[in-house]
Amino acid sequence: MPELPEVEQVRKTLAPHIEGRRILKTEVWLDRMVQHPAVPQFIAGTEGRTITGLKRRGKYLRLELDDGQYLLAHLRMTGALLALPAEVDRPDFAKIRFTLSEGMNLWFTDIRTFGVIYLLNPQENYQVKGYETLGPEPLTEAFTAAYLKAKVQKSRKPVKNLILDQTVIAGLGNIYADESLALSRIMPTRIACTLTEPETEALYEAVNQVIAQGIANHGTTFRNYQDGEGKKGDNQNHLLVYSRKGQPCRFCGTTLEQIKVGGRGSVYCPKCQK
């Protein structure tokens, strides 16, 4: 599933191609991807509108429209938003097309069709479960060491489960949680409230560092992730532990192992992480 760095890369690459363009026509080929309103109202509410801005919150992309409404998209596991010139053929697994002015198409493609999109006004955020309760994001003023310390001290969850909670840290997913714990040398199964103050500080710094690295490397691509121009990321070539089970730890050379934490595969170094 695309996480904060991947969705931010989509935002950055889409924005120059769609901001300021008018939606001339909206076509939906898989109705269930439109979560709100019903598809006829979704089409009627988007056609003729101009995209005035493109924002991101956690793993959500928000396309602002000139009438005060906005499109809210969540790519889930394999979704992609692609801006392609009108003369380019329909991409594989296309489910929604917005025909834009000035010869551009915005496509929502999805192999596994878990992605969703909403058309909302500012009073309808409640339609999206979990959107209004998103916690602060890494690399923002709201995400501080003191904030994380308070959350850690109150929690008896495994630390990986805590930092994956979107109400605690918005945008962090399995890839960057494993990377943060590896960089801070903390076992994913450690009960959060057992972390010392230096360990919590190290975790705070690690979360910011791995997210910044992911953004700088244009996201992580293993299978399906691509940005708004159809390009793949490079961060998979810089990971410490994620998807590296059985390979040597980059710090000490010990063979990396994998366990389940909260139902998710978690790769770690049995020597470095305590």
Side-chain angles (χ1 to χ4, degrees), residues 84-143:
L84 300 173
E87 62 269 20
V88 175
D89 291 341
R90 173 176 170 170
D92 293 340
F93 312 108
K95 301 298 184 286
I96 299 173
R97 174 169 65 180
F98 300 98
T99 301
L100 306 181
S101 59
E102 302 174 58
M104 186 66 65
N105 285 328
L106 174 61
W107 299 90
F108 196 159
T109 71
D110 199 341
I111 298 171
R112 300 187 66 181
T113 70
F114 294 136
V116 293
I117 192 166
Y118 304 75
L119 174 64
L120 303 167
N121 64 54
Q123 289 74 47
E124 292 179 320
N125 286 342
Y126 67 89
Q127 295 282 353
V128 187
K129 184 179 179 181
Y131 184 64
E132 290 189 300
T133 58
L134 288 171
E137 298 183 7
L139 305 175
T140 65
E141 290 183 1
F143 182 65

Side-chain angles (χ1 to χ4, degrees), residues 49-263:
R49 302 269 59 93
T50 296
I51 301 170
T52 58
L54 181 55
K55 299 177 181 179
R56 181 196 51 76
R57 180 76 174 96
K59 302 175 188 178
Y60 292 90
L61 281 168
R62 178 167 168 155
L63 287 72
E64 306 282 349
L65 303 180
D66 61 349
D67 64 349
Q69 296 191 97
Y70 59 92
L71 289 163
L72 193 69
H74 197 305
L75 303 178
R76 299 282 174 86
M77 294 184 71
T78 57
L81 283 169
L82 301 172
L84 300 173
E87 62 269 20
V88 175
D89 291 341
R90 173 176 170 170
D92 293 340
F93 312 108
K95 301 298 184 286
I96 299 173
R97 174 169 65 180
F98 300 98
T99 301
L100 306 181
S101 59
E102 302 174 58
M104 186 66 65
N105 285 328
L106 174 61
W107 299 90
F108 196 159
T109 71
D110 199 341
I111 298 171
R112 300 187 66 181
T113 70
F114 294 136
V116 293
I117 192 166
Y118 304 75
L119 174 64
L120 303 167
N121 64 54
Q123 289 74 47
E124 292 179 320
N125 286 342
Y126 67 89
Q127 295 282 353
V128 187
K129 184 179 179 181
Y131 184 64
E132 290 189 300
T133 58
L134 288 171
E137 298 183 7
L139 305 175
T140 65
E141 290 183 1
F143 182 65
T144 64
Y147 166 83
L148 185 60
K149 180 182 176 182
K151 293 293 183 181
V152 163
Q153 288 178 335
K154 294 176 183 177
S155 177
R156 295 198 61 79
K157 295 178 181 178
V159 64
K160 180 172 180 181
N161 290 358
L162 177 69
I163 65 174
L164 282 174
D165 184 339
Q166 296 301 292
T167 69
V168 176
I169 306 175
L172 201 67
N174 208 37
I175 296 172
Y176 297 97
D178 275 5
E179 292 296 291
S180 298
L181 293 166
L183 186 59
S184 57
R185 314 296 178 92
I186 297 168
M187 269 291 291
T189 52
R190 277 278 298 279
I191 299 302
C193 62
T194 69
L195 267 60
T196 65
E197 189 163 340
E199 286 175 322
T200 303
E201 180 71 31
L203 179 59
Y204 165 75
E205 296 291 346
V207 168
N208 282 326
Q209 186 172 329
V210 301
I211 291 294
Q213 174 186 289
I215 293 171
N217 291 325
H218 312 298
T220 300
T221 299
F222 284 112
R223 289 177 292 275
N224 307 115
Y225 165 70
Q226 53 188 322
D227 67 19
E229 297 174 330
K231 298 174 183 176
K232 298 183 182 299
D234 182 58
N235 198 53
Q236 64 275 8
N237 298 314
H238 304 274
L239 297 175
L240 296 173
V241 293
Y242 186 84
S243 195
R244 297 189 63 242
K245 173 188 174 183
Q247 298 181 45
C249 171
R250 298 195 191 279
F251 296 121
C252 72
T254 300
T255 300
L256 299 176
E257 299 180 5
Q258 181 169 325
I259 54 174
K260 288 273 190 179
V261 182

